[in-house]
Amino acid sequence: MANRDALHKFVGPGVEQQDIGQGRIHTANYSLLPVDLRDLGALQASLESAGFQPTIPTYVLAECVLVYMEPHESAALLKHLGQQLPSAVCVVYEQIHPEDAFGQQMMRNLESRGCPLKGLPSTPTLEAHRQRFLTNNWEKAEATDLDTIYKHHLDPRDKRRIERLEIFDEFEEWHMIQVSASPHSAGPVSLFADKRKKISLRGVV
């Protein structure tokens, strides 16, 4: 990061704290904080040390994170965030449907590599993901699968552009994969006013 101008300009000048071995960087513009998310005390202390202000609007993104935690650990984390961040939106992206053939094979493959999906059996459906938020201090939660987003929420011009990038004719398998992944979000009701706008990917390859 320090050697790439495109990344360094976003980090900002004046590194206040840096420990490359531990993966810690703290500047006026950017903080990278290594912490065990199962240790809520350590998480809170790490955020406070970086000057994080919990009352300002916050976007929390967890991409294939909670699914690797035990269900009680991910629930405790979401509850903690719901308590500490009154003006936050949390977006979670992870796998669903462990009961079908694709899901079972996916779970076996990952477990054989030493990274089992510990949380998937407790949140196998979109509704289960919604309920996990709603029972852990989040006021509203919505969930969908990637196939629905692709079919109904992407700008048609973006879809045509994407589909022209490479010849692709195995749509049956594509849709099967997309149904098995789910982005879902939660937060205060007031922060969802613009949620139903079309998603645009222009400029993204």
Side-chain angles (χ1 to χ4, degrees), residues 93 143-155 159 178 181-184 195 198-199 201:
Y93 170 80
T144 189
D145 58 61
L146 289 180
D147 200 45
T148 299
I149 291 177
Y150 187 80
K151 289 178 178 177
H152 303 293
H153 296 288
L154 293 186
D155 188 309
K159 289 177 63 176
Q178 298 309 299
S182 164
H184 36 283
K195 189 173 184 299
K198 292 289 185 180
I199 299 171
L201 295 177

Side-chain angles (χ1 to χ4, degrees), residues 79-190:
K79 185 174 184 178
H80 177 76
L81 294 175
Q83 291 172 333
Q84 298 295 319
L85 307 176
S87 300
V89 168
C90 181
V91 176
V92 173
Y93 170 80
E94 58 189 48
Q95 301 89 330
I96 53 175
H97 294 311
E99 77 287 349
D100 62 23
F102 181 87
Q104 292 175 19
Q105 185 63 49
M106 172 183 63
M107 293 184 70
R108 285 193 295 268
N109 287 343
L110 289 170
E111 187 164 6
S112 70
R113 290 167 171 77
C115 45
L117 301 177
K118 299 178 180 180
L120 184 52
S122 68
T123 50
T125 65
L126 297 176
E127 182 58 25
H129 281 285
R130 287 188 65 253
Q131 291 303 319
R132 180 170 62 174
F133 274 111
L134 295 175
T135 57
N136 287 293
N137 293 326
W138 294 84
E139 295 178 16
K140 182 178 179 181
E142 298 187 13
T144 189
D145 58 61
L146 289 180
D147 200 45
T148 299
I149 291 177
Y150 187 80
K151 289 178 178 177
H152 303 293
H153 296 288
L154 293 186
D155 188 309
R157 292 171 295 179
D158 288 327
K159 289 177 63 176
R160 289 194 295 270
R161 179 183 60 81
I162 293 169
E163 290 169 0
R164 286 197 300 266
L165 292 176
E166 183 176 347
I167 297 175
F168 185 75
D169 58 4
E170 298 181 8
F171 281 97
E172 182 178 353
E173 182 177 354
W174 158 261
H175 291 302
M176 180 178 65
I177 294 172
Q178 298 309 299
V179 169
S180 297
S182 164
H184 36 283
S185 55
V189 174
S190 60

